[in-house]
Amino acid sequence: MSPQAKTRKPSSRKGRPGEQPSRLRGAQPKARTAVRRKPGATTPGNPPRLLARLQYLWNRISPEHKLDALGVLLTLTGLALFLSLISSQNGTVSRAVLSALRRFLGWGSLAVPFAMIISGIWLILRRVERLPLPSTPRLIGLGLLYWNLLTWLHWLSGSGPGLVNQGKGGGWLGQATLAALLGALGQAGTMVVLLGWLCFGIMLITDTSLTEWAKFVVKTWQSVVAKRLKPSAHRPAITAPTSQKVTEDLPPEFQPLPGRSQPRATSTRTRRTSAESTTSESPSSSTPTLPATTATEPTSLTDSQPPPSPWALPALDQILDPPTPAAAQDNLDHERAKIIEETLASFGAPAHVVDISHGPTVTRFGVEPDFIETRSGRTRVRVSRIVSLADDLALALAAPRIRIQAPVPGKHYVGIEVPNVEVSRVALREVIESEAFKRLRSPLRFALGKDVAGRPVAADLATMPHLLIAGTTGSGKSVCVNAILTCLLLHNTPADLRLVLVDPKRVELTGYNGIPHLLTPVVVDTERVIGALQWLQREMDARYHKFAQVGVRNLQEYNARHSPPLPYLVAVIDELADLMMLAPDETERSITRLAQLARATGIHLILATQRPSVDVVTGLIKANFPARIAFAVASSIDSRVILDQPGAERLLGRGDMLFQAPDAAAPVRLQGTFVSEAEIQRLVDYWRTAAAQQTTLPSPSASGETAVDLFPPHVPLKQGELWDTEGGDPLLQEAIDLVRREGRASVTMLQRRLRIGYTRAARLIDAMEERGIISPALPNSPIREVLDYGPAAPPAED
């Protein structure tokens, strides 16, 4: 062995430079043999670790639990402070706190414990529904009002310097504020400033403006003056003018009732003729007075004022419940945004969140793709790459399902819609009271819900002009139909709107029976639905004939020129699949014809189905229903049937929907409005009571024994027969001539030769058998023999 090898051998045992020799021999390093210190132990030169440990434990507590603890602490502290105020035996600490409060706030210290108790209870019960959500302007207004009252208390109590030491007046705060105002402005200026300060605080609390205050003062003054100038009750009543004026600018409650300007013959129900005049009513009577009319035809439609309608619309606050505030989740939204950015970056698709829109059901995160380095330079991340990571994002966010809208229409980012932890219910009253609903002036407006940004959305059925609703069981389809009907009944009287409701399930719409808006009781037999649709077609044709005679193009122009006005007709079919199974051809033909032609006549359709398949929602029906609402469905195929694109299969249910407007390029995700059974029952009871009062009003004639019927005379109150001619089916005579010429009769022959359906052909065969023209059914043969050939001779045999 060479000397060089001997010199290298010891260095090889020591290992590489910088490596400890003991590590090669398997010994533990010295750092690991050190004695472990207990948590919280201090070392020379280092700060104590107890504070860091406490800070770590404090950070582990969720913000929600911190707010709960703060609420309990405020409630208990306020209760203890209140007991100390009313007690004569206090400890050292309580006496010191009470003395400081009385010196600083004076008599205003009595409000401190109540404020603490109310704040603590609100923090504890902040998740409870119907709990008011305090806004920042109202809290500021409450603080300014409290400060203003302290100043007034100190001024009115004498404003002496000894009041502060005695704990009276407004305390040190009221004294300092009053002294500064008196020294700068004097007594007159101080009073003006305090009054303005008081009004400003009240405006912030009540969320009103100076204009609204001025309107309220003017309205109150006018009402006081009107009461003083009110005429005596012994003055004779003023009769109504002899002619009626109908203008389209008047609201529905001031429109004249159809059918009261033309005299009518007295029937078994004894209707009041238009020649009767109104009689004055005693002031103690609560029965409304009917509008006066004359027997002569109106000579002018522009020279008189219309009488008030006997129907009154229900008050919104008496029918619908107030909305509940939505729960705020700002911290959770920012945490989810950070998770989205980290997840996309980990999969090679970096992006950053530029917008967060918090809705009642989902929160939409606007994600803008970033740039990545490639061989050709910096390129932006593809949108399709972000869309393909939907399942990975759902896993990272622990969400049941997410929906990616790529891109958001009109925006420069991709929308990632994530379900909220706490779903907020959208009340119908909240949307009806919004500006989006008030901007629509149509009588057929209705509330849809709120979008992903929390903005209310309303629509107009007159511009759609028909609506198709589809979704699985439990997705919110029936609630949507009830919300639409509730909106229509809240804003339309029976003189303005009539309904035809079809409910094969017998449980969804039958609760509306008895309201005066119904042309017929809710249709529950599917055999009668075809007759109802054919009646609507005949009514549509009759209205077009009236339009042609007057020279107008639509219902609005006709009602503006002609009296009595025609009401809108809305047909609601809750389950379309049952009708398509029973009579697909006739149902599709009737619905398609109404959808194509009925818009100008004021007839609108609302179809709902829970089976959105191609044999139920056919292409011909879809082509005439551009407005569609898709709730949660089972597969993307069903979504394509409704919306012609996927997306409805990722909805959450319970009111979560996609609304396709006729003039929109893409559907909008909404959370539908909720209307409870109690609200619907209150509305139905109101209209039932109104109908009972109208139909039982005493006649203003001398005898007072006749009943009054206020329903429009040209609209039937029950569904008519399929054929309203005296001879039955108008094809009956043609069918008789056909079987006499042929010498035989059968259902298939009538279907083929007359081009009609099986049901109508069988009815014609039964009618001819009843008249004795053909024989009864022969055994084992569909052919009927002709018994009565009439004036014609039997056909010659071959």
Side-chain angles (χ1 to χ4, degrees):
M1 182 178 296
S2 61
Q4 295 178 356
K6 292 181 180 180
T7 57
R8 287 195 302 265
K9 213 168 193 179
S11 62
S12 62
R13 291 196 197 100
K14 294 180 181 179
R16 297 179 180 178
E19 184 177 351
Q20 297 180 1
S22 60
R23 191 181 298 265
L24 297 177
R25 296 191 299 268
Q28 297 294 332
K30 293 182 180 180
R32 295 187 179 182
T33 58
V35 179
R36 295 185 179 180
R37 295 180 176 88
K38 297 182 180 180
T42 58
T43 57
N46 294 329
R49 298 179 57 188
L50 180 60
L51 295 178
R53 189 68 176 175
L54 292 176
Q55 184 178 4
Y56 172 75
L57 294 176
W58 175 256
N59 294 332
R60 291 290 300 273
I61 302 176
S62 63
E64 297 293 330
H65 291 168
K66 292 178 183 178
L67 291 178
D68 292 339
L70 179 60
V72 173
L73 181 62
L74 284 176
T75 304
L76 296 179
T77 305
L79 184 60
L81 189 60
F82 173 74
L83 295 177
S84 300
L85 284 172
I86 63 176
S87 176
S88 59
Q89 298 178 358
N90 294 318
T92 307
V93 178
S94 60
R95 283 198 301 268
V97 172
L98 291 178
S99 176
L101 279 178
R102 287 169 178 169
R103 288 175 178 271
F104 186 73
L105 300 176
W107 289 333
S109 60
L110 297 175
V112 174
F114 296 100
M116 296 177 67
I117 293 174
I118 293 174
S119 302
I121 293 176
W122 186 90
L123 287 175
I124 296 173
L125 304 178
R126 65 187 182 277
R127 298 189 186 92
V128 179
E129 295 183 355
R130 300 186 181 181
L131 195 65
L133 183 65
S135 60
T136 303
R138 290 182 177 178
L139 292 177
I140 295 176
L142 190 61
L144 291 177
L145 182 63
Y146 180 72
W147 191 1
N148 182 268
L149 293 179
L150 290 180
T151 308
W152 279 109
L153 284 175
H154 201 79
W155 196 3
L156 296 177
S157 60
S159 66
L163 295 177
V164 177
N165 297 329
Q166 299 176 5
K168 298 181 180 180
W172 178 85
L173 182 60
Q175 180 189 12
T177 306
L178 182 62
L181 291 176
L182 290 176
L185 304 175
Q187 291 188 355
T190 300
M191 181 172 293
V192 172
V193 170
L194 289 179
L195 289 176
W197 186 356
L198 179 65
C199 294
F200 181 70
I202 295 176
M203 282 190 299
L204 287 179
I205 294 175
T206 58
D207 195 14
T208 55
S209 61
L210 287 176
T211 305
E212 295 176 353
W213 271 57
K215 290 181 179 179
F216 174 75
V217 173
V218 171
K219 187 176 179 180
T220 305
W221 175 256
Q222 290 178 352
S223 62
V224 172
V225 174
K227 288 182 179 180
R228 291 184 177 180
L229 300 179
K230 185 177 181 181
S232 176
H234 300 286
R235 296 182 182 178
I238 301 175
T239 58
T242 58
S243 59
Q244 312 295 332
K245 178 182 177 183
V246 181
T247 58
E248 59 183 355
D249 297 331
L250 292 175
E253 57 267 22
F254 294 101
Q255 293 287 352
L257 192 66
R260 307 313 295 173
S261 61
Q262 300 293 337
R264 304 188 61 200
T266 305
S267 61
T268 55
R269 298 184 61 179
T270 317
R271 304 173 184 268
R272 189 190 68 172
T273 61
S274 59
E276 299 169 347
S277 60
T278 56
T279 58
S280 60
E281 229 180 335
S282 62
S284 60
S285 175
S286 60
T287 305
T289 304
L290 296 176
T293 54
T294 60
T296 58
E297 294 184 359
T299 57
S300 175
L301 297 176
T302 59
D303 298 335
S304 62
Q305 297 295 329
S309 174
W311 299 102
L313 294 176
L316 191 64
D317 55 351
Q318 297 179 1
I319 303 298
L320 301 180
D321 297 330
T324 57
Q329 298 178 348
D330 296 337
N331 296 333
L332 184 60
D333 292 342
H334 290 291
E335 293 177 2
R336 286 187 168 187
K338 186 177 181 180
I339 293 175
I340 290 175
E341 293 179 350
E342 293 175 353
T343 304
L344 292 177
S346 64
F347 284 98
H352 59 280
V353 177
V354 296
D355 179 73
I356 299 177
S357 300
H358 187 84
T361 304
V362 298
T363 300
R364 187 183 66 189
F365 297 90
V367 177
E368 183 178 1
D370 289 341
F371 291 90
I372 56 175
E373 297 292 340
T374 60
R375 295 180 179 180
S376 58
R378 297 177 69 247
T379 59
R380 191 180 292 273
V381 176
R382 293 180 177 271
V383 174
S384 59
R385 194 169 182 181
I386 299 177
V387 175
S388 63
L389 298 175
D391 296 335
D392 300 291
L393 289 172
L395 178 63
L397 295 170
R401 60 181 68 179
I402 65 172
R403 177 176 175 265
I404 297 181
Q405 191 177 13
V408 177
K411 304 294 182 180
H412 61 280
Y413 51 76
V414 178
I416 300 178
E417 298 172 356
V418 184
N420 295 335
V421 177
E422 296 182 3
V423 178
S424 301
R425 180 177 294 175
V426 180
L428 180 61
R429 179 176 173 180
E430 183 180 4
V431 182
I432 291 179
E433 292 178 346
S434 64
E435 291 296 330
F437 187 87
K438 295 178 180 178
R439 283 196 298 265
L440 299 176
R441 300 296 182 182
S442 173
L444 299 184
R445 55 184 177 174
F446 62 92
L448 274 173
K450 288 186 177 182
D451 58 6
V452 294
R455 295 185 295 265
V457 178
D460 182 14
L461 185 61
T463 59
M464 288 185 176
H466 311 288
L467 181 62
L468 177 63
I469 305 173
T472 58
T473 303
S475 59
K477 173 171 54 63
S478 299
V479 178
C480 178
V481 173
N482 286 322
I484 295 175
L485 290 176
T486 302
C487 290
L488 296 179
L489 294 177
L490 282 172
H491 300 90
N492 294 277
T493 64
D496 306 319
L497 173 69
R498 286 305 180 95
L499 299 174
V500 177
L501 304 182
V502 178
D503 183 17
K505 293 184 289 187
R506 302 172 181 263
V507 294
E508 297 295 343
L509 303 179
T510 52
Y512 293 97
N513 277 327
I515 63 175
H517 297 75
L518 292 180
L519 287 172
T520 175
V522 179
V523 181
V524 296
D525 297 329
T526 53
E527 292 81 4
R528 300 185 60 193
V529 179
I530 303 301
L533 293 177
Q534 291 177 350
W535 181 89
L536 288 174
Q537 294 184 60
R538 293 198 300 272
E539 177 68 16
M540 177 186 67
D541 295 335
R543 291 191 175 192
Y544 271 122
H545 285 298
K546 294 179 181 179
F547 294 172
Q549 292 175 1
V550 181
V552 297
R553 300 179 59 184
N554 51 43
L555 183 67
Q556 291 77 16
E557 295 180 6
Y558 179 85
N559 290 340
R561 297 186 184 183
H562 195 270
S563 180
L566 296 175
Y568 287 93
L569 294 179
V570 177
V572 181
I573 301 177
D574 186 57
E575 187 50 59
L576 181 63
D578 291 347
L579 304 183
M580 296 299 292
M581 287 190 299
L582 179 66
D585 297 335
E586 295 181 5
T587 302
E588 184 180 11
R589 188 183 303 111
S590 301
I591 291 177
T592 303
R593 189 168 186 270
L594 286 172
Q596 290 174 345
L597 303 175
R599 175 180 183 176
T601 62
I603 301 176
H604 305 275
L605 302 178
I606 299 177
L607 305 182
T609 180
Q610 62 181 359
R611 199 184 72 184
S613 56
V614 293
D615 56 343
V616 175
V617 185
T618 62
L620 197 57
I621 293 179
K622 286 173 55 179
N624 294 280
F625 283 78
R628 306 165 196 166
I629 294 178
F631 289 91
V633 295
S635 63
S636 61
I637 298 176
D638 295 340
S639 177
R640 291 181 184 275
V641 171
I642 309 170
L643 301 173
D644 298 326
Q645 59 180 327
E649 73 279 1
R650 290 187 172 270
L651 298 178
L652 304 176
R654 301 182 64 84
D656 192 14
M657 65 179 178
L658 292 174
F659 171 62
Q660 176 66 60
D663 55 349
V668 180
R669 188 170 187 177
L670 305 174
Q671 174 63 30
T673 56
F674 176 79
V675 55
S676 63
E677 294 291 337
E679 294 172 335
I680 297 174
Q681 190 61 39
R682 287 196 292 265
L683 181 60
V684 171
D685 291 342
Y686 172 85
W687 282 117
R688 286 175 180 172
T689 305
Q693 292 177 356
Q694 297 294 345
T695 54
T696 57
L697 285 178
S699 175
S701 60
S703 61
E705 297 178 357
T706 58
V708 179
D709 185 9
L710 298 179
F711 294 108
H714 60 282
V715 178
L717 296 182
K718 63 180 181 179
Q719 183 174 323
E721 298 294 335
L722 183 60
W723 313 113
D724 53 2
T725 58
E726 296 181 358
D729 196 326
L731 292 180
L732 179 59
Q733 189 59 41
E734 184 178 354
I736 293 174
D737 296 339
L738 176 62
V739 299
R740 284 174 174 174
R741 290 195 308 268
E742 296 293 335
R744 59 188 178 88
S746 66
V747 176
T748 56
M749 183 188 72
L750 294 181
Q751 285 182 268
R752 185 176 64 256
R753 300 292 293 274
L754 299 180
R755 298 180 180 179
I756 58 177
Y758 175 82
T759 305
R760 190 173 183 184
R763 190 179 293 111
L764 291 173
I765 290 292
D766 294 339
M768 289 187 288
E769 181 183 350
E770 292 176 358
R771 297 191 178 193
I773 298 175
I774 60 176
S775 64
L778 300 177
N780 302 326
S781 177
I783 304 299
R784 307 286 188 96
E785 295 181 356
V786 179
L787 302 179
D788 181 11
Y789 284 94
E797 296 182 0
D798 296 338

